[in-house]
């Protein structure tokens, strides 16, 4: 059965795990609860349980698309200034070396140079949302980097090259944030972030797949684009998910508000 592809919000730092006293909902700020609930329901929403996950995080960039081929990756705590317990979190899912090799083969066949990394730890764009979605850490996962030129068309094309994985039981996930401007929070962010979100969503759900890809690749022409993304690394995982989604219908899978930002997640297929 063909898996959909997803672009998910991964929150802010260890946002879902700030209160160790509450194991069921360990963040004390209710603004994060809708996003947490969305992530917690992801696996149940799929047509069948995936055999593996290929995840592209907005927190890993390399000169060439690079796959993580490690068997038991450690965690890379790439956030700062949070409570000590958040640097002791665990998410012990196995790596997926076979999927990493298959990913590299598909990208190379499409003309992309690829790299391999077996030692880098999983960044918080991986383990924070996956710890919510897969608390038992029982599905193998391979991580794919962004390419640091952040070329939208190249990332969409890479996603298209990876589309065959969907028929091989692999869930392709782009992990980022549809809005990511850490310098602007609170009431002043509400109106522009909402206008940006609705414009982005209109482009993502365009029923014509070619127009959809063209509109999202030209994201910087949408209203408030550079307000939403002063630098677009948190948006580029969407391009991979969109490309892998092919001609399948797209939908807005989640929308919530955090820190004055309107934030969305998307599903293809």
């Amino acid at each position: 059965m063909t898996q959909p592809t997803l672009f998910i919000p991964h929150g802010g730092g260890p946002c879902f795990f700030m209160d160790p006293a509450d194991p069921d909902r360990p963040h004390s700020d209710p603004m994060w609860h809708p996003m947490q609930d969305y992530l917690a329901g992801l696996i149940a929403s799929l047509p069948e349980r995936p055999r593996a996950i290929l995840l592209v995080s907005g927190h890993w960039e390399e000169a060439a698309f690079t796959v993580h081929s490690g068997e038991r990756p450690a965690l890379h705590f790439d956030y700062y200034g949070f409570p000590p317990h958040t640097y002791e979190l665990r998410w012990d899912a196995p790596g997926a070396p076979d999927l990493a090799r298959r990913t590299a083969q598909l990208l190379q066949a499409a003309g992309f140079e690829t790299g391999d990394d077996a030692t880098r730890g999983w960044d918080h764009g991986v383990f924070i949302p996956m710890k919510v979605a897969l608390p038992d850490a029982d599905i193998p996962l391979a991580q794919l980097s962004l390419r640091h030129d952040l070329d939208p068309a190249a990332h969409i094309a890479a996603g298209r090259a990876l589309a065959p994985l969907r028929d091989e039981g692999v869930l392709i996930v782009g992990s980022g944030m549809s809005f990511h401007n850490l310098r602007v929070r609170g009431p002043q962010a509400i109106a522009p972030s909402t206008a940006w979100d609705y414009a982005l969503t209109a482009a993502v759900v365009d029923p014509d797949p070619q127009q959809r890809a063209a509109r999202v690749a030209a994201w910087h022409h949408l209203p408030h684009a550079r307000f939403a993304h002063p630098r677009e690394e948190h948006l580029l995982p969407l391009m991979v998910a969109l490309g892998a989604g092919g001609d399948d219908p797209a939908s807005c899978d989640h929308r919530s508000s955090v820190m004055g930002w309107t934030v969305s997640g998307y599903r293809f297929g």
Side-chain angles (χ1 to χ4, degrees):
M1 187 174 292
T2 302
Q3 291 286 353
T5 71
L6 305 174
F7 173 71
I8 63 169
H10 63 228
C15 61
F16 309 116
F17 302 99
M18 293 290 283
D19 182 3
D22 184 352
D24 294 322
R25 192 180 287 282
H27 195 286
S28 57
D29 192 328
M31 74 175 176
W32 293 105
H33 293 175
M35 191 181 296
Q36 180 183 2
D37 291 343
Y38 164 67
L39 294 170
L42 279 182
I43 301 303
S45 75
L46 301 174
E48 62 183 14
R49 189 174 178 84
R51 70 168 182 85
I53 296 170
L54 178 66
L55 187 144
V56 186
S57 166
H59 288 278
W60 186 21
E61 300 173 35
E62 298 287 350
F65 289 114
T66 300
V67 290
H68 195 298
S69 59
E71 294 188 0
R72 285 285 173 179
L75 301 187
H76 175 40
F77 294 98
D78 56 337
Y79 45 72
Y80 308 95
F82 289 93
H85 77 271
T86 64
Y87 299 91
E88 299 172 358
L89 295 172
R90 300 281 300 272
W91 192 68
D92 298 325
D98 289 348
L99 174 57
R101 287 190 290 272
R102 173 70 170 142
T103 297
Q105 290 168 354
L106 289 169
L107 290 172
Q108 290 162 6
F112 290 103
E113 178 185 353
T114 65
D116 178 88
D117 188 324
T119 61
R120 184 183 189 273
W122 282 333
D123 58 67
H124 76 273
V126 180
F127 72 85
I128 291 298
M130 289 296 101
K131 188 172 173 63
V132 178
L134 274 175
D136 294 332
D138 55 355
I139 296 178
L141 184 144
Q143 185 177 4
L144 174 66
S145 79
L146 297 173
R147 204 172 72 179
H148 71 46
D149 64 3
L150 303 180
D151 178 358
H155 286 77
I156 291 173
R160 289 185 180 128
L162 298 172
L165 295 174
R166 299 174 58 196
D167 293 322
E168 300 171 13
V170 175
L171 176 67
I172 299 173
V173 178
S175 172
M177 290 286 279
S178 62
F179 183 98
H180 192 256
N181 184 347
L182 299 178
R183 296 191 295 268
V184 183
R185 307 181 190 187
Q188 67 268 35
I190 295 173
S193 73
T194 301
W196 152 259
D197 186 86
Y198 278 86
L200 176 65
T201 297
V204 171
V205 303
D206 190 314
D208 183 311
Q210 291 185 335
Q211 289 188 169
R212 175 197 309 163
R215 291 174 68 183
V216 175
W219 68 274
H220 52 287
H221 294 304
L222 297 176
H224 306 289
R226 282 298 176 193
F227 180 87
H229 291 278
R231 189 174 185 273
E232 58 267 36
E233 78 287 343
H234 274 66
L235 187 64
L236 264 291
L238 169 61
M239 312 298 174
V240 180
L242 182 153
D247 293 344
D248 285 353
S251 61
C252 182
D253 215 26
H254 168 77
R255 179 174 283 134
S256 60
S257 179
V258 294
M259 300 187 290
W261 308 346
T262 299
V263 177
S264 288
Y266 302 106
R267 179 176 299 233
F268 303 90

